[in-house]
Amino acid sequence: MPGLLKGNTEDEDKNVVVPTPVRVDVSRFIPRDEIHPIDTDDEQAHSLYSESFIQNCRLEHMVMVMGLHPQYLQQFLDTNVHLLQSSGALSYEYRSYIAIMAAARHQCTYLVHLMEAQFLLQGGNREWLKGLDHIPAKLRALSKLNRLLAHRPWLVTAQDFKDLTEGDAASRWQHSQLAQAVVLLCHFHGLAIFCHGTGVNLELDHSKAHSFHTRSGSPTTPRSKPTSGSNTPVDFRQIEQIGDVEVLMERMRKLQEEEEDVTTEERNRRFEIEKEEASYSLIPGMDIAKFCFLIPGASGPVGGAAYFARYVEDPQFSYQDFAKRDAHAEIPTFRAQDYNWDHAFTVMTGYYGEVAELLDEKYKTAYNLTYKTLATRDNVDTTSLRRAIWMYVHCMYGIMYDDYNYSEVNQLLERPLKVFIKTVSCFPEKTTQAVYDGFWKQFRHSEKVHVNIMLLEARMQVGLLYGLRALTQCMRES
Ligand SMILES: CC(C)C[C@H](N)C(=O)O
């Protein structure tokens, strides 16, 4: 909180080691004056800030970033508080611990820290914060599901759920508990994506948010480590950009006018092309998984890897392009006509009714959110552009909509935007300022945050679709 950052001169004179905030802004990517301040005059933002403060006993940086879209923030706060603090099949300490495990999978030190505080606030056992070796076997058994849902959700099977429902009474999971666990894991995977994608900075009470120095000395922790190794800067000018907003608008208009009559085979072919393309390096000659190491100033996860390592098993496991997925596993494309949000919603309603409603409203708010603006233009129908972003995320995770024309993705999403979407949705911890700055140069920050809200929701839905489909199969078979 920027207001608390002054003082300490007396101590400096006595050569006492004093903490100095490493970062004072809410986000590393978004300038301070773009975000509503704590004492904002904007009534809606102020009332949401107050509501959030009452719920969490703090005003979190991520909430302030989301505050750029109050309509969504309202839905988010309602859902978040319900997931963590209302009735349900799981104990409160289990819920916040599952949140920690999910955030750790995406190396989101920020969220891990917040959820640790939440865990302790709810009376959680401090010992558990030493890591997976210190928690009940039942909770530890969720590690595999967490790992798959976070990185390769297409690998989740009914058997994974069956394994969790077997064993001795103390470590056996009920179906209703599993439905809740899947929702929690997906919610926090999505949220970690949002925090990385918008460059949310650590809260002030995080130990890593301070460096220590004396008056004479320089800070003992450098502000941000320059990257070692290859230092070739990424030149986004080399990468195809739509650049001009006019061109983008023209393409959107054309697509609307020329509703093509395309055969099913042709639609399938276009999906395959898009999926294949997404698996190639979006920047010629560059592996996105190693992307951030090539960008000066990218220092990896804020707070350091050791901070969250204790909460994950098999830390090397990461996203793999769906097009190049484990060949022997023969995993087919996920067809939304066979299993879609309505199916997932029905399963959730059976076990977790109120949350199903909340998630449905939140998703619809995010999907339909529009101000009818495009950079500096007003009164623009942005439906096709927003839908293309959503579809691109689902495509990278192997989910296909039979009635969607995938060539829209290629026509509407400029390459730097695709780089951003792929990085944030698949390797969120590798998101850097350069990737954030690289796309939509003429757009506002609030529009980039809007994109991040869509990525959070689209990615969360991917997890829910795969997870709940497998859980339904498991229930049918048992
Ligand atoms: C993500 C943005 C392109 C959304 C746009 N500003 C709209 O209001 O619809």
Side-chain angles (χ1 to χ4, degrees), residues 41-70:
D41 295 333
D42 184 298
E43 271 180 38
Q44 199 182 11
H46 191 264
S47 112
L48 287 166
Y49 278 7
S50 311
E51 184 179 330
S52 174
F53 186 82
I54 291 164
Q55 283 172 2
N56 302 306
C57 307
R58 63 164 79 213
L59 178 56
E60 295 148 345
H61 288 169
M62 64 180 181
V63 168
M64 294 179 76
V65 174
M66 257 181 215
L68 289 172
H69 299 280

PDB file of all heavy atoms in Angstrom, residues 41-70:
ATOM      1  N   ASP A  41     -12.090   8.250  -5.823  1.00  0.00           N
ATOM      2  CA  ASP A  41     -13.382   8.949  -5.842  1.00  0.00           C
ATOM      3  C   ASP A  41     -14.440   8.129  -6.581  1.00  0.00           C
ATOM      4  O   ASP A  41     -15.620   8.410  -6.497  1.00  0.00           O
ATOM      5  CB  ASP A  41     -13.272  10.284  -6.609  1.00  0.00           C
ATOM      6  CG  ASP A  41     -12.354  11.235  -5.888  1.00  0.00           C
ATOM      7  OD1 ASP A  41     -12.237  11.099  -4.662  1.00  0.00           O
ATOM      8  OD2 ASP A  41     -11.766  12.099  -6.571  1.00  0.00           O
ATOM      9  N   ASP A  42     -13.982   7.159  -7.319  1.00  0.00           N
ATOM     10  CA  ASP A  42     -14.903   6.335  -8.086  1.00  0.00           C
ATOM     11  C   ASP A  42     -15.722   5.485  -7.095  1.00  0.00           C
ATOM     12  O   ASP A  42     -15.197   4.618  -6.409  1.00  0.00           O
ATOM     13  CB  ASP A  42     -14.088   5.421  -9.018  1.00  0.00           C
ATOM     14  CG  ASP A  42     -14.968   4.594  -9.915  1.00  0.00           C
ATOM     15  OD1 ASP A  42     -15.761   3.769  -9.401  1.00  0.00           O
ATOM     16  OD2 ASP A  42     -14.840   4.753 -11.130  1.00  0.00           O
ATOM     17  N   GLU A  43     -17.021   5.777  -7.049  1.00  0.00           N
ATOM     18  CA  GLU A  43     -17.859   5.159  -6.008  1.00  0.00           C
ATOM     19  C   GLU A  43     -17.916   3.643  -6.101  1.00  0.00           C
ATOM     20  O   GLU A  43     -17.814   2.932  -5.106  1.00  0.00           O
ATOM     21  CB  GLU A  43     -19.281   5.710  -6.091  1.00  0.00           C
ATOM     22  CG  GLU A  43     -19.446   6.951  -5.244  1.00  0.00           C
ATOM     23  CD  GLU A  43     -20.845   7.499  -5.311  1.00  0.00           C
ATOM     24  OE1 GLU A  43     -21.782   6.689  -5.341  1.00  0.00           O
ATOM     25  OE2 GLU A  43     -20.975   8.733  -5.344  1.00  0.00           O
ATOM     26  N   GLN A  44     -18.063   3.172  -7.330  1.00  0.00           N
ATOM     27  CA  GLN A  44     -18.184   1.727  -7.514  1.00  0.00           C
ATOM     28  C   GLN A  44     -16.904   1.008  -7.083  1.00  0.00           C
ATOM     29  O   GLN A  44     -16.937   0.021  -6.336  1.00  0.00           O
ATOM     30  CB  GLN A  44     -18.476   1.446  -8.992  1.00  0.00           C
ATOM     31  CG  GLN A  44     -19.061   0.093  -9.246  1.00  0.00           C
ATOM     32  CD  GLN A  44     -19.274  -0.148 -10.737  1.00  0.00           C
ATOM     33  OE1 GLN A  44     -18.792   0.625 -11.587  1.00  0.00           O
ATOM     34  NE2 GLN A  44     -19.990  -1.200 -11.065  1.00  0.00           N
ATOM     35  N   ALA A  45     -15.766   1.542  -7.533  1.00  0.00           N
ATOM     36  CA  ALA A  45     -14.480   0.927  -7.168  1.00  0.00           C
ATOM     37  C   ALA A  45     -14.290   1.004  -5.654  1.00  0.00           C
ATOM     38  O   ALA A  45     -13.851   0.037  -5.021  1.00  0.00           O
ATOM     39  CB  ALA A  45     -13.339   1.629  -7.894  1.00  0.00           C
ATOM     40  N   HIS A  46     -14.653   2.146  -5.080  1.00  0.00           N
ATOM     41  CA  HIS A  46     -14.459   2.318  -3.643  1.00  0.00           C
ATOM     42  C   HIS A  46     -15.292   1.321  -2.854  1.00  0.00           C
ATOM     43  O   HIS A  46     -14.823   0.709  -1.890  1.00  0.00           O
ATOM     44  CB  HIS A  46     -14.803   3.753  -3.228  1.00  0.00           C
ATOM     45  CG  HIS A  46     -14.383   4.061  -1.831  1.00  0.00           C
ATOM     46  ND1 HIS A  46     -15.252   3.971  -0.767  1.00  0.00           N
ATOM     47  CD2 HIS A  46     -13.172   4.390  -1.317  1.00  0.00           C
ATOM     48  CE1 HIS A  46     -14.600   4.250   0.344  1.00  0.00           C
ATOM     49  NE2 HIS A  46     -13.335   4.511   0.040  1.00  0.00           N
ATOM     50  N   SER A  47     -16.528   1.126  -3.293  1.00  0.00           N
ATOM     51  CA  SER A  47     -17.378   0.206  -2.536  1.00  0.00           C
ATOM     52  C   SER A  47     -16.871  -1.240  -2.685  1.00  0.00           C
ATOM     53  O   SER A  47     -16.921  -2.027  -1.739  1.00  0.00           O
ATOM     54  CB  SER A  47     -18.837   0.409  -2.946  1.00  0.00           C
ATOM     55  OG  SER A  47     -19.328  -0.687  -3.623  1.00  0.00           O
ATOM     56  N   LEU A  48     -16.348  -1.572  -3.861  1.00  0.00           N
ATOM     57  CA  LEU A  48     -15.786  -2.927  -4.027  1.00  0.00           C
ATOM     58  C   LEU A  48     -14.512  -3.102  -3.211  1.00  0.00           C
ATOM     59  O   LEU A  48     -14.261  -4.164  -2.626  1.00  0.00           O
ATOM     60  CB  LEU A  48     -15.512  -3.194  -5.504  1.00  0.00           C
ATOM     61  CG  LEU A  48     -16.751  -3.427  -6.360  1.00  0.00           C
ATOM     62  CD1 LEU A  48     -16.421  -3.353  -7.836  1.00  0.00           C
ATOM     63  CD2 LEU A  48     -17.379  -4.775  -6.024  1.00  0.00           C
ATOM     64  N   TYR A  49     -13.695  -2.063  -3.183  1.00  0.00           N
ATOM     65  CA  TYR A  49     -12.477  -2.114  -2.367  1.00  0.00           C
ATOM     66  C   TYR A  49     -12.857  -2.371  -0.901  1.00  0.00           C
ATOM     67  O   TYR A  49     -12.235  -3.181  -0.209  1.00  0.00           O
ATOM     68  CB  TYR A  49     -11.716  -0.784  -2.455  1.00  0.00           C
ATOM     69  CG  TYR A  49     -10.825  -0.606  -3.683  1.00  0.00           C
ATOM     70  CD1 TYR A  49     -10.816  -1.526  -4.726  1.00  0.00           C
ATOM     71  CD2 TYR A  49      -9.977   0.504  -3.780  1.00  0.00           C
ATOM     72  CE1 TYR A  49     -10.006  -1.337  -5.832  1.00  0.00           C
ATOM     73  CE2 TYR A  49      -9.153   0.694  -4.886  1.00  0.00           C
ATOM     74  CZ  TYR A  49      -9.174  -0.230  -5.915  1.00  0.00           C
ATOM     75  OH  TYR A  49      -8.349  -0.046  -6.999  1.00  0.00           O
ATOM     76  N   SER A  50     -13.906  -1.651  -0.432  1.00  0.00           N
ATOM     77  CA  SER A  50     -14.312  -1.807   0.968  1.00  0.00           C
ATOM     78  C   SER A  50     -14.823  -3.223   1.216  1.00  0.00           C
ATOM     79  O   SER A  50     -14.466  -3.872   2.210  1.00  0.00           O
ATOM     80  CB  SER A  50     -15.434  -0.837   1.329  1.00  0.00           C
ATOM     81  OG  SER A  50     -15.101   0.447   0.920  1.00  0.00           O
ATOM     82  N   GLU A  51     -15.629  -3.697   0.282  1.00  0.00           N
ATOM     83  CA  GLU A  51     -16.173  -5.057   0.424  1.00  0.00           C
ATOM     84  C   GLU A  51     -15.034  -6.072   0.509  1.00  0.00           C
ATOM     85  O   GLU A  51     -15.021  -6.967   1.362  1.00  0.00           O
ATOM     86  CB  GLU A  51     -17.061  -5.344  -0.790  1.00  0.00           C
ATOM     87  CG  GLU A  51     -17.765  -6.672  -0.730  1.00  0.00           C
ATOM     88  CD  GLU A  51     -18.653  -6.898  -1.968  1.00  0.00           C
ATOM     89  OE1 GLU A  51     -19.161  -5.910  -2.542  1.00  0.00           O
ATOM     90  OE2 GLU A  51     -18.822  -8.072  -2.341  1.00  0.00           O
ATOM     91  N   SER A  52     -14.068  -5.897  -0.358  1.00  0.00           N
ATOM     92  CA  SER A  52     -12.943  -6.834  -0.376  1.00  0.00           C
ATOM     93  C   SER A  52     -12.129  -6.743   0.916  1.00  0.00           C
ATOM     94  O   SER A  52     -11.684  -7.755   1.462  1.00  0.00           O
ATOM     95  CB  SER A  52     -12.071  -6.518  -1.590  1.00  0.00           C
ATOM     96  OG  SER A  52     -10.924  -7.289  -1.560  1.00  0.00           O
ATOM     97  N   PHE A  53     -11.969  -5.516   1.389  1.00  0.00           N
ATOM     98  CA  PHE A  53     -11.192  -5.328   2.628  1.00  0.00           C
ATOM     99  C   PHE A  53     -11.884  -6.048   3.795  1.00  0.00           C
ATOM    100  O   PHE A  53     -11.235  -6.707   4.616  1.00  0.00           O
ATOM    101  CB  PHE A  53     -11.043  -3.835   2.928  1.00  0.00           C
ATOM    102  CG  PHE A  53     -10.141  -3.568   4.102  1.00  0.00           C
ATOM    103  CD1 PHE A  53      -8.764  -3.542   3.945  1.00  0.00           C
ATOM    104  CD2 PHE A  53     -10.670  -3.384   5.368  1.00  0.00           C
ATOM    105  CE1 PHE A  53      -7.928  -3.325   5.026  1.00  0.00           C
ATOM    106  CE2 PHE A  53      -9.843  -3.159   6.457  1.00  0.00           C
ATOM    107  CZ  PHE A  53      -8.469  -3.127   6.282  1.00  0.00           C
ATOM    108  N   ILE A  54     -13.202  -5.931   3.825  1.00  0.00           N
ATOM    109  CA  ILE A  54     -13.949  -6.579   4.917  1.00  0.00           C
ATOM    110  C   ILE A  54     -13.831  -8.106   4.813  1.00  0.00           C
ATOM    111  O   ILE A  54     -13.656  -8.806   5.803  1.00  0.00           O
ATOM    112  CB  ILE A  54     -15.431  -6.129   4.901  1.00  0.00           C
ATOM    113  CG1 ILE A  54     -15.493  -4.646   5.295  1.00  0.00           C
ATOM    114  CG2 ILE A  54     -16.296  -6.967   5.820  1.00  0.00           C
ATOM    115  CD1 ILE A  54     -16.798  -3.958   4.973  1.00  0.00           C
ATOM    116  N   GLN A  55     -13.866  -8.611   3.595  1.00  0.00           N
ATOM    117  CA  GLN A  55     -13.764 -10.068   3.410  1.00  0.00           C
ATOM    118  C   GLN A  55     -12.393 -10.610   3.808  1.00  0.00           C
ATOM    119  O   GLN A  55     -12.271 -11.664   4.405  1.00  0.00           O
ATOM    120  CB  GLN A  55     -13.973 -10.420   1.925  1.00  0.00           C
ATOM    121  CG  GLN A  55     -15.408 -10.373   1.467  1.00  0.00           C
ATOM    122  CD  GLN A  55     -15.498 -10.547  -0.054  1.00  0.00           C
ATOM    123  OE1 GLN A  55     -14.498 -10.746  -0.751  1.00  0.00           O
ATOM    124  NE2 GLN A  55     -16.710 -10.458  -0.573  1.00  0.00           N
ATOM    125  N   ASN A  56     -11.352  -9.873   3.444  1.00  0.00           N
ATOM    126  CA  ASN A  56      -9.997 -10.441   3.564  1.00  0.00           C
ATOM    127  C   ASN A  56      -9.097  -9.750   4.568  1.00  0.00           C
ATOM    128  O   ASN A  56      -7.927 -10.109   4.694  1.00  0.00           O
ATOM    129  CB  ASN A  56      -9.302 -10.396   2.198  1.00  0.00           C
ATOM    130  CG  ASN A  56     -10.083 -11.149   1.155  1.00  0.00           C
ATOM    131  OD1 ASN A  56     -10.407 -12.307   1.355  1.00  0.00           O
ATOM    132  ND2 ASN A  56     -10.427 -10.487   0.069  1.00  0.00           N
ATOM    133  N   CYS A  57      -9.615  -8.723   5.228  1.00  0.00           N
ATOM    134  CA  CYS A  57      -8.827  -7.946   6.186  1.00  0.00           C
ATOM    135  C   CYS A  57      -7.629  -7.295   5.508  1.00  0.00           C
ATOM    136  O   CYS A  57      -6.602  -7.044   6.143  1.00  0.00           O
ATOM    137  CB  CYS A  57      -8.338  -8.794   7.359  1.00  0.00           C
ATOM    138  SG  CYS A  57      -9.644  -9.669   8.156  1.00  0.00           S
ATOM    139  N   ARG A  58      -7.689  -7.103   4.217  1.00  0.00           N
ATOM    140  CA  ARG A  58      -6.645  -6.373   3.491  1.00  0.00           C
ATOM    141  C   ARG A  58      -7.182  -6.032   2.112  1.00  0.00           C
ATOM    142  O   ARG A  58      -8.143  -6.652   1.656  1.00  0.00           O
ATOM    143  CB  ARG A  58      -5.367  -7.215   3.371  1.00  0.00           C
ATOM    144  CG  ARG A  58      -5.557  -8.496   2.577  1.00  0.00           C
ATOM    145  CD  ARG A  58      -4.243  -9.095   2.154  1.00  0.00           C
ATOM    146  NE  ARG A  58      -3.576  -9.830   3.216  1.00  0.00           N
ATOM    147  CZ  ARG A  58      -2.256  -9.882   3.339  1.00  0.00           C
ATOM    148  NH1 ARG A  58      -1.490  -9.245   2.490  1.00  0.00           N
ATOM    149  NH2 ARG A  58      -1.698 -10.583   4.296  1.00  0.00           N
ATOM    150  N   LEU A  59      -6.569  -5.057   1.487  1.00  0.00           N
ATOM    151  CA  LEU A  59      -6.939  -4.758   0.103  1.00  0.00           C
ATOM    152  C   LEU A  59      -5.800  -5.265  -0.770  1.00  0.00           C
ATOM    153  O   LEU A  59      -4.709  -4.685  -0.799  1.00  0.00           O
ATOM    154  CB  LEU A  59      -7.147  -3.252  -0.088  1.00  0.00           C
ATOM    155  CG  LEU A  59      -7.503  -2.834  -1.514  1.00  0.00           C
ATOM    156  CD1 LEU A  59      -8.744  -3.552  -2.019  1.00  0.00           C
ATOM    157  CD2 LEU A  59      -7.717  -1.330  -1.579  1.00  0.00           C
ATOM    158  N   GLU A  60      -6.067  -6.369  -1.437  1.00  0.00           N
ATOM    159  CA  GLU A  60      -4.992  -7.049  -2.171  1.00  0.00           C
ATOM    160  C   GLU A  60      -4.679  -6.349  -3.494  1.00  0.00           C
ATOM    161  O   GLU A  60      -5.552  -5.798  -4.137  1.00  0.00           O
ATOM    162  CB  GLU A  60      -5.432  -8.496  -2.453  1.00  0.00           C
ATOM    163  CG  GLU A  60      -5.584  -9.310  -1.190  1.00  0.00           C
ATOM    164  CD  GLU A  60      -6.676 -10.370  -1.304  1.00  0.00           C
ATOM    165  OE1 GLU A  60      -7.489 -10.291  -2.232  1.00  0.00           O
ATOM    166  OE2 GLU A  60      -6.695 -11.256  -0.437  1.00  0.00           O
ATOM    167  N   HIS A  61      -3.416  -6.445  -3.879  1.00  0.00           N
ATOM    168  CA  HIS A  61      -3.001  -5.855  -5.162  1.00  0.00           C
ATOM    169  C   HIS A  61      -3.818  -6.410  -6.326  1.00  0.00           C
ATOM    170  O   HIS A  61      -4.216  -5.689  -7.230  1.00  0.00           O
ATOM    171  CB  HIS A  61      -1.516  -6.139  -5.410  1.00  0.00           C
ATOM    172  CG  HIS A  61      -0.620  -5.347  -4.514  1.00  0.00           C
ATOM    173  ND1 HIS A  61       0.724  -5.596  -4.400  1.00  0.00           N
ATOM    174  CD2 HIS A  61      -0.873  -4.314  -3.684  1.00  0.00           C
ATOM    175  CE1 HIS A  61       1.260  -4.736  -3.550  1.00  0.00           C
ATOM    176  NE2 HIS A  61       0.309  -3.961  -3.099  1.00  0.00           N
ATOM    177  N   MET A  62      -4.062  -7.729  -6.287  1.00  0.00           N
ATOM    178  CA  MET A  62      -4.786  -8.327  -7.426  1.00  0.00           C
ATOM    179  C   MET A  62      -6.199  -7.751  -7.524  1.00  0.00           C
ATOM    180  O   MET A  62      -6.736  -7.589  -8.621  1.00  0.00           O
ATOM    181  CB  MET A  62      -4.816  -9.855  -7.336  1.00  0.00           C
ATOM    182  CG  MET A  62      -5.559 -10.404  -6.156  1.00  0.00           C
ATOM    183  SD  MET A  62      -5.529 -12.210  -6.174  1.00  0.00           S
ATOM    184  CE  MET A  62      -6.510 -12.534  -4.707  1.00  0.00           C
ATOM    185  N   VAL A  63      -6.776  -7.427  -6.381  1.00  0.00           N
ATOM    186  CA  VAL A  63      -8.122  -6.840  -6.378  1.00  0.00           C
ATOM    187  C   VAL A  63      -8.076  -5.434  -6.974  1.00  0.00           C
ATOM    188  O   VAL A  63      -8.957  -5.032  -7.741  1.00  0.00           O
ATOM    189  CB  VAL A  63      -8.689  -6.838  -4.940  1.00  0.00           C
ATOM    190  CG1 VAL A  63      -9.946  -5.981  -4.834  1.00  0.00           C
ATOM    191  CG2 VAL A  63      -8.968  -8.260  -4.489  1.00  0.00           C
ATOM    192  N   MET A  64      -7.013  -4.697  -6.660  1.00  0.00           N
ATOM    193  CA  MET A  64      -6.888  -3.337  -7.207  1.00  0.00           C
ATOM    194  C   MET A  64      -6.725  -3.372  -8.732  1.00  0.00           C
ATOM    195  O   MET A  64      -7.246  -2.508  -9.439  1.00  0.00           O
ATOM    196  CB  MET A  64      -5.725  -2.598  -6.546  1.00  0.00           C
ATOM    197  CG  MET A  64      -5.988  -2.355  -5.066  1.00  0.00           C
ATOM    198  SD  MET A  64      -4.641  -1.501  -4.228  1.00  0.00           S
ATOM    199  CE  MET A  64      -4.865   0.176  -4.781  1.00  0.00           C
ATOM    200  N   VAL A  65      -6.012  -4.384  -9.231  1.00  0.00           N
ATOM    201  CA  VAL A  65      -5.873  -4.492 -10.690  1.00  0.00           C
ATOM    202  C   VAL A  65      -7.226  -4.854 -11.311  1.00  0.00           C
ATOM    203  O   VAL A  65      -7.666  -4.260 -12.295  1.00  0.00           O
ATOM    204  CB  VAL A  65      -4.788  -5.538 -11.065  1.00  0.00           C
ATOM    205  CG1 VAL A  65      -4.753  -5.747 -12.575  1.00  0.00           C
ATOM    206  CG2 VAL A  65      -3.420  -5.081 -10.574  1.00  0.00           C
ATOM    207  N   MET A  66      -7.908  -5.810 -10.697  1.00  0.00           N
ATOM    208  CA  MET A  66      -9.231  -6.207 -11.213  1.00  0.00           C
ATOM    209  C   MET A  66     -10.234  -5.071 -11.121  1.00  0.00           C
ATOM    210  O   MET A  66     -11.230  -5.038 -11.846  1.00  0.00           O
ATOM    211  CB  MET A  66      -9.778  -7.377 -10.405  1.00  0.00           C
ATOM    212  CG  MET A  66      -9.657  -8.699 -11.102  1.00  0.00           C
ATOM    213  SD  MET A  66     -10.362  -9.970 -10.061  1.00  0.00           S
ATOM    214  CE  MET A  66      -9.257 -11.307 -10.441  1.00  0.00           C
ATOM    215  N   GLY A  67      -9.953  -4.128 -10.212  1.00  0.00           N
ATOM    216  CA  GLY A  67     -10.842  -2.985 -10.011  1.00  0.00           C
ATOM    217  C   GLY A  67     -11.029  -2.157 -11.272  1.00  0.00           C
ATOM    218  O   GLY A  67     -11.936  -1.338 -11.351  1.00  0.00           O
ATOM    219  N   LEU A  68     -10.179  -2.366 -12.275  1.00  0.00           N
ATOM    220  CA  LEU A  68     -10.366  -1.676 -13.550  1.00  0.00           C
ATOM    221  C   LEU A  68     -11.626  -2.174 -14.255  1.00  0.00           C
ATOM    222  O   LEU A  68     -12.106  -1.555 -15.198  1.00  0.00           O
ATOM    223  CB  LEU A  68      -9.142  -1.887 -14.449  1.00  0.00           C
ATOM    224  CG  LEU A  68      -7.878  -1.144 -14.004  1.00  0.00           C
ATOM    225  CD1 LEU A  68      -6.677  -1.550 -14.832  1.00  0.00           C
ATOM    226  CD2 LEU A  68      -8.100   0.361 -14.128  1.00  0.00           C
ATOM    227  N   HIS A  69     -12.128  -3.318 -13.808  1.00  0.00           N
ATOM    228  CA  HIS A  69     -13.353  -3.887 -14.395  1.00  0.00           C
ATOM    229  C   HIS A  69     -14.314  -4.261 -13.271  1.00  0.00           C
ATOM    230  O   HIS A  69     -14.468  -5.446 -12.939  1.00  0.00           O
ATOM    231  CB  HIS A  69     -12.998  -5.098 -15.269  1.00  0.00           C
ATOM    232  CG  HIS A  69     -12.095  -4.717 -16.392  1.00  0.00           C
ATOM    233  ND1 HIS A  69     -12.562  -4.126 -17.540  1.00  0.00           N
ATOM    234  CD2 HIS A  69     -10.750  -4.764 -16.510  1.00  0.00           C
ATOM    235  CE1 HIS A  69     -11.531  -3.848 -18.339  1.00  0.00           C
ATOM    236  NE2 HIS A  69     -10.419  -4.223 -17.731  1.00  0.00           N
ATOM    237  N   PRO A  70     -14.970  -3.243 -12.685  1.00  0.00           N
ATOM    238  CA  PRO A  70     -15.781  -3.459 -11.483  1.00  0.00           C
ATOM    239  C   PRO A  70     -16.867  -4.528 -11.635  1.00  0.00           C
ATOM    240  O   PRO A  70     -17.130  -5.279 -10.698  1.00  0.00           O
ATOM    241  CB  PRO A  70     -16.432  -2.096 -11.236  1.00  0.00           C
ATOM    242  CG  PRO A  70     -15.654  -1.121 -12.040  1.00  0.00           C
ATOM    243  CD  PRO A  70     -14.989  -1.857 -13.137  1.00  0.00           C
TER     244      PRO A  70
END
